[in-house]
Amino acid sequence: MAASPSTARAINDRHALRLLQDEGPLTAAQLKTLTGLSRPTVADLVERLRGSGLVHVVGEAGAERRGPNAKLYGIVADRAHLAALDVRTHSVSVSVADLLGATLAEASAPVGEDGGTGPAVEKAVALLERTAKEAGADRLHTLTVGAPGLVDPAGGELRDSAKLPAWHRRLVAVLQERLPARVLVENETNLAAVAELRAGAARDREDFVLLWLGQGVGAAVVLGGRLRRGASGGAGEIGFLPVPGTSGLPSATGCDGGFHELACLAAVEALALDHGLDPASALASGHGAFLDALARRLALGAAAVASVLDPGCVVLAGDTGHRGGAALAARVEAELALLSPLRTEVRATALGDTAVLRGALLVSRDAAQDELFP
């Protein structure tokens, strides 16, 4: 069935906007070539997009060329301002960007519950407001919050967790109450995977699993180029995975006894001390025996992932994955090859500590463009 004229216009307009986003400013002639549309159709869509405030003239193509055909059209980047919050146990980081995703301002601050939940929330909100003001964003369009814990796939709420600080849940509620912006919430590990997929270590992969190795342990599953959250939003709760070498078995209320016990930051630091190393520098020390021992632990979780999903690639992220780098990734890959017959490449994060914020900005940008683009 042929598309109606209005549907065809919407498809053409969105295609042109995506080209302007990916390729940068373009002339009408370049849009005609890239879209395959006729000259009159391109002229009409350019006027529609200019009238909607999404596209404007940003210059001319070549000093020797003048006239309408030389005009360069680009997306109005300040048509909407986006924000991202990376909420950790004791800190918050914020980034504000324009509609094209260009970062305008960033900031971080320690946040704790020493003074109570209320002051912690107010400190985080104030940081966001100051950063938005610095970026020249009078009004935020979309904000994405990345936090540890489960996110309800139906309602998008951050679900209760025995070890989740109370100010995390309260912060999300306060942001939704105060901001005119659309507020989205996503698990931090999932956001890191989005960033690695589109701008990091997994750019060339449609299937991979990201292992988040920090104070907490988790995984994000990407199959067919899409993030998979599971029926309850808990896909990748690998910290609860029963593995050998722990003190017992995990339970529904705690991951002690699971893979978390072997791979969390406290366990990595204890392993470093066992090898006579300073925990702060052990991962960067190149100490072979320590890295080998850690790799054997991490391979247990990676082998379970490979056995069930066969993703072909595992990305080590979080503090341990970042600081361990390629040396740790190579060791995990070698250990994994001994445990599983499935060929699985292991890579270190390419984005390090910025992965969660990068992923959150990408989610904010996608949501804003889906609403604003025809």
Side-chain angles (χ1 to χ4, degrees):
M1 183 181 295
S4 67
S6 61
T7 300
R9 286 194 294 270
I11 292 172
N12 291 338
D13 290 356
R14 181 175 283 266
H15 184 34
L17 286 164
R18 292 299 180 193
L19 287 170
L20 290 170
Q21 173 185 286
D22 296 339
E23 305 293 335
L26 297 168
T27 65
Q30 290 170 324
L31 281 170
K32 175 182 177 296
T33 299
L34 291 170
T35 61
L37 299 172
S38 67
R39 189 179 300 277
T41 299
V42 169
D44 287 345
L45 77 80
V46 167
E47 287 308 307
R48 279 196 304 275
L49 295 177
R50 291 184 68 182
S52 68
L54 287 170
V55 166
H56 61 165
V57 177
V58 297
E60 292 188 341
E64 74 283 356
R65 299 183 60 188
R66 298 292 179 221
N69 292 335
K71 290 180 179 178
L72 277 170
Y73 299 99
I75 292 176
V76 180
D78 61 0
R79 178 70 168 75
H81 289 101
L82 320 170
L85 273 181
D86 180 4
V87 182
R88 303 294 176 95
T89 305
H90 301 294
S91 67
V92 169
S93 296
V94 58
S95 183
V96 179
D98 62 25
L99 185 58
L100 289 173
T103 301
L104 304 175
E106 291 184 319
S108 298
V111 177
E113 288 188 293
D114 295 342
T117 298
V121 168
E122 292 302 321
K123 187 171 183 179
V125 173
L127 181 69
L128 172 63
E129 292 173 341
R130 288 197 305 271
T131 309
K133 184 177 181 179
E134 180 185 339
D138 296 330
R139 180 186 178 93
L140 293 174
H141 183 281
T142 305
L143 163 68
T144 298
V145 181
L150 295 178
V151 177
D152 185 347
E157 295 88 4
L158 191 62
R159 289 170 52 183
D160 287 348
S161 170
K163 295 185 178 180
L164 190 68
W167 69 271
H168 281 199
R169 296 189 299 279
R170 183 58 189 150
L171 172 62
V172 171
V174 168
L175 290 170
Q176 291 170 334
E177 291 166 3
R178 292 192 191 177
L179 294 183
R182 180 182 182 185
V183 179
L184 306 174
V185 185
E186 182 59 271
N187 173 267
E188 61 181 355
T189 305
N190 286 345
L191 291 175
V194 169
E196 297 289 355
L197 171 67
R198 294 171 59 176
R203 286 191 304 271
D204 60 337
R205 309 289 306 204
E206 286 199 343
D207 301 326
F208 75 98
V209 170
L210 180 138
L211 290 188
W212 182 266
L213 306 167
Q215 287 187 328
V217 175
V221 179
V222 175
L223 298 175
R226 293 178 55 197
L227 186 66
R228 309 292 176 165
R229 296 178 176 82
S232 63
E237 284 296 312
I238 198 171
F240 288 86
L241 181 72
V243 291
T246 64
S247 60
L249 290 174
S251 70
T253 58
C255 54
D256 292 339
F259 183 57
H260 172 90
E261 186 176 311
L262 296 182
C264 70
L265 186 59
V268 174
E269 292 175 344
L271 184 63
L273 290 173
D274 289 343
H275 284 80
L277 302 174
D278 178 2
S281 59
L283 284 164
S285 68
H287 190 281
F290 164 69
L291 290 177
D292 288 344
L294 178 57
R296 284 192 291 272
R297 292 184 176 192
L298 299 183
L300 294 174
V305 164
S307 302
V308 175
L309 299 175
D310 188 19
C313 180
V314 170
V315 175
L316 304 183
D319 190 60
T320 298
H322 177 41
R323 290 195 290 145
L328 179 61
R331 283 172 163 83
V332 174
E333 182 173 324
E335 292 292 337
L336 179 54
L338 300 176
L339 297 176
S340 172
L342 304 175
R343 167 68 178 158
T344 307
E345 184 180 2
V346 180
R347 302 176 179 179
T349 171
L351 302 176
D353 292 339
T354 68
V356 176
L357 271 183
R358 292 279 293 273
L361 276 181
L362 286 167
V363 170
S364 288
R365 189 182 77 180
D366 289 349
Q369 290 183 353
D370 282 345
E371 180 178 325
L372 295 172
F373 288 6

